[in-house]
Amino acid sequence: MTGVTSLVIAEAVNPVPWARAQMAFTLAFHIILVPLGVSWAFMTLIANYRALRRDDHDALLLAQQWSKYMAVTFAVGAVTGTVLSFEFGLLWPRFMGVYGEAFGIPFAFEGLFFFTEAIFVAIYIFGWRRLKPWTHFWTGVPIVIAGIFGSISVVAANAWMNAPGGFTMNADGEITKVEPLEVIFNDSMPLQAAHMVIAAYLVGGFLVASVYATAMLRGRDDRYHRIAFTIAFTVAAVMTPIQMGVGDALARWVYNNQPVKFAAIELVPTTASDVPETLLGKLNADGTISGGIPIPGLASWLSDPGSGRSTVIQGLDTVPVDERPTIRETNTVHLAWDVMVGLGTALFLLSVWYGLTWLFRRRMPKSKWFLRAAACAGVLAVITMEAGWIVTEVGRQPWIVYNRMKVEEAATANTGVWITFIAVFLLYAALGVTTILVLRGMSRRFRRAGGFVEGDTPYGPTQEDATELETADERVEERTP
């Protein structure tokens, strides 16, 4: 009995699953903030540009308000991103000990882009009323550029884990030489980085648009809300078909370079041709597939349209059991893939609805059903993005560095990881609630002020400037006979 109890306790404090759970949770939380950090500055500049070119008062107020929301989400993202940086060393010390010299290179560049973004966010926020209008507008451009390249840098590190290269290792398993450019521009990086950056604009656009769609359903159908919705939803709608093309190319890259992951995506237990595309369904321990809706030959055809249904897909059983995802992980990857593709298709159809209405009627759709769908699009876009990352990360199991180091070889041996997981969970929960309350409070103050926040007028004089001007006028009057 004592032996069984000891075994149960040992399994409960096993650091590997706790390290994986903590990393998964913090990544899932942080990734929601990434689209806002990358895309919100771009949408703010669109509003700012419209305001300056057309002397549009509503667009100017929108740009000012969005810039303040952007600052809040940027600050929260900085906190959650910093925690993630520490987790690499705390949760995966053996991985960092062996591969840190290579893996850390993209993060060095990300740090430079992050500090650049932070500097110009501060300049842009405090530049209202302090800089000339067009000078102020151009200070926002580096925020957009730094956000894009910062995101690419981080994704380059993850892509390297899928396609490791750019280093030389000696017989003792130590890295003796690193080629920084080869590490950054690894084989997986171009498509994976493009997929993430486009996703950031897509998800960010749908998220912001969903807030204004909800407001419009509640009766706030004024010009300010329509401009806000149009800018955000247009950005997302433009990116959606592009994302589908990039996603298709990335899936083919996985087919050619990570065949075991692709087999998990498509539920292919044994190597075969004319493989059906199974919608939903699951893989059983005996290698059979139950449930789901099979579409004959479609998986083979999508993998290589040139060869059609005769395309051969490598099965899971082509590698040893300990070098492929478990049955549970395989089913998780397949379900996440179906969710990503299914919701992505739904968002694409919603974008087509929006685009056709603009094309033929020169206005956004006014149907309440469209607004209801748009109000849901933000959450659905986040779920789609999360599902995509599950496919990427769980599909690579059991490898942390593809075909080089397994997750269990990389994890910490500290059995107290479960304590840090609980602490991080509580911290992030409090941070998430606080962020939402702060953003909602800012929105309420803005509405109560009738479009102005704390008397702040974009490109108008500060209170100090007004006071000095009044004092100067009084002095002139005193001296005038």
Side-chain angles (χ1 to χ4, degrees):
M1 189 68 178
T2 304
V4 174
T5 303
S6 300
L7 183 63
V8 171
I9 294 175
E11 191 64 29
V13 298
N14 181 1
V16 177
W18 284 108
R20 290 182 63 188
Q22 182 173 328
M23 199 74 184
F25 171 74
T26 49
L27 276 170
F29 187 102
H30 178 71
I31 201 67
I32 298 173
L33 296 165
V34 171
L36 296 175
V38 174
S39 66
W40 217 337
F42 177 72
M43 292 186 285
T44 300
L45 286 186
I46 292 176
N48 199 341
Y49 181 83
R50 178 190 178 106
L52 297 178
R53 292 291 294 180
R54 302 185 183 182
D55 194 23
D56 191 326
H57 179 71
D58 289 324
L60 189 58
L61 289 178
L62 178 65
Q64 186 199 26
Q65 188 70 351
W66 274 359
S67 70
K68 294 179 178 180
Y69 293 153
M70 177 183 73
V72 173
T73 55
F74 177 83
V76 177
V79 173
T80 57
T82 301
V83 172
L84 279 169
S85 300
F86 283 112
E87 284 182 339
F88 283 117
L90 295 173
L91 301 179
W92 314 104
R94 287 180 281 184
F95 161 64
M96 294 301 293
V98 176
Y99 292 104
E101 291 181 58
F103 181 73
I105 289 174
F107 284 101
F109 286 94
E110 191 275 337
L112 295 176
F113 290 121
F114 170 79
F115 284 117
T116 301
E117 186 177 5
I119 290 168
F120 280 96
V121 164
I123 293 173
Y124 189 80
I125 294 296
F126 291 101
W128 295 108
R129 305 180 304 165
R130 292 171 176 83
L131 296 173
K132 293 180 180 180
W134 280 109
T135 302
H136 174 257
F137 169 84
W138 287 109
T139 63
V141 174
I143 303 174
V144 177
I145 296 173
I148 291 173
F149 282 98
S151 179
I152 290 174
S153 299
V154 173
V155 175
N158 182 268
W160 179 88
M161 297 165 76
N162 288 304
F167 62 91
T168 302
M169 186 170 281
N170 62 21
D172 296 327
E174 299 174 345
I175 290 180
T176 57
K177 183 181 179 181
V178 176
E179 298 291 343
L181 291 181
E182 291 184 21
V183 170
I184 296 172
F185 296 100
N186 57 77
D187 291 343
S188 180
M189 179 271 202
L191 286 173
Q192 199 171 324
H195 199 50
M196 183 60 223
V197 171
I198 295 169
Y201 280 85
L202 187 154
V203 176
F206 279 129
L207 262 178
V208 174
S210 67
V211 174
Y212 292 93
T214 302
M216 293 166 74
L217 285 170
R218 293 176 177 174
R220 295 198 289 273
D221 190 18
D222 51 60
R223 187 171 180 275
Y224 174 89
H225 284 82
R226 288 196 301 272
I227 291 174
F229 177 86
T230 300
I231 291 174
F233 200 92
T234 300
V235 168
V238 169
M239 292 298 174
T240 302
I242 300 174
Q243 182 71 315
M244 296 186 75
V246 173
D248 180 69
L250 183 56
R252 289 203 179 92
W253 185 92
V254 173
Y255 166 75
N256 290 310
N257 296 276
Q258 292 182 307
V260 177
K261 178 189 287 188
F262 193 81
I265 288 172
E266 298 291 0
L267 286 186
V268 184
T270 58
T271 302
S273 60
D274 196 17
V275 177
E277 182 74 32
T278 304
L279 306 180
L280 302 177
K282 68 174 185 175
L283 179 66
N284 301 312
D286 60 1
T288 60
I289 298 172
S290 59
I293 304 172
I295 303 176
L298 184 59
S300 288
W301 184 84
L302 290 173
S303 302
D304 185 2
S307 301
R309 295 175 64 167
S310 63
T311 302
V312 175
I313 297 180
Q314 181 177 318
L316 290 165
D317 65 351
T318 56
V319 296
V321 174
D322 64 343
E323 295 182 7
R324 65 192 193 217
T326 64
I327 298 296
R328 182 177 180 181
E329 289 169 343
T330 298
N331 289 328
T332 299
V333 170
H334 177 68
L335 178 60
W337 172 265
D338 283 349
V339 169
M340 180 185 68
V341 174
L343 293 182
T345 302
L347 293 172
F348 170 73
L349 294 176
L350 184 63
S351 300
V352 170
W353 183 358
Y354 176 81
L356 290 176
T357 303
W358 266 111
L359 181 64
F360 292 107
R361 299 183 181 180
R362 293 307 195 195
R363 60 172 175 79
M364 62 171 282
K366 293 185 177 181
S367 165
K368 283 197 172 183
W369 281 109
F370 172 80
L371 288 177
R372 290 188 185 108
C376 296
V379 174
L380 296 181
V382 170
I383 294 173
T384 304
M385 179 179 60
E386 297 278 14
W389 275 106
I390 289 173
V391 172
T392 299
E393 297 304 296
V394 180
R396 194 177 60 240
Q397 298 299 314
W399 306 102
I400 190 169
V401 181
Y402 190 64
N403 282 340
R404 285 184 172 271
M405 175 180 277
K406 294 181 179 179
V407 171
E408 60 185 17
E409 298 170 345
T412 178
N414 187 346
T415 56
V417 174
W418 67 274
I419 299 175
T420 64
F421 174 74
I422 294 174
V424 168
F425 179 85
L426 294 175
L427 172 65
Y428 274 44
L431 187 62
V433 171
T434 302
T435 302
I436 293 172
L437 291 177
V438 168
L439 292 175
R440 284 175 60 86
M442 291 171 65
S443 178
R444 284 195 297 268
R445 288 197 304 274
F446 180 73
R447 290 200 304 273
R448 283 199 300 265
F452 294 87
V453 181
E454 298 173 358
D456 194 8
T457 306
Y459 303 134
T462 64
Q463 186 62 43
E464 292 80 2
D465 293 336
T467 301
E468 290 178 5
L469 185 60
E470 290 176 2
T471 302
D473 289 341
E474 290 174 358
R475 290 173 180 170
V476 170
E477 291 176 359
E478 290 174 357
R479 295 174 183 175
T480 302

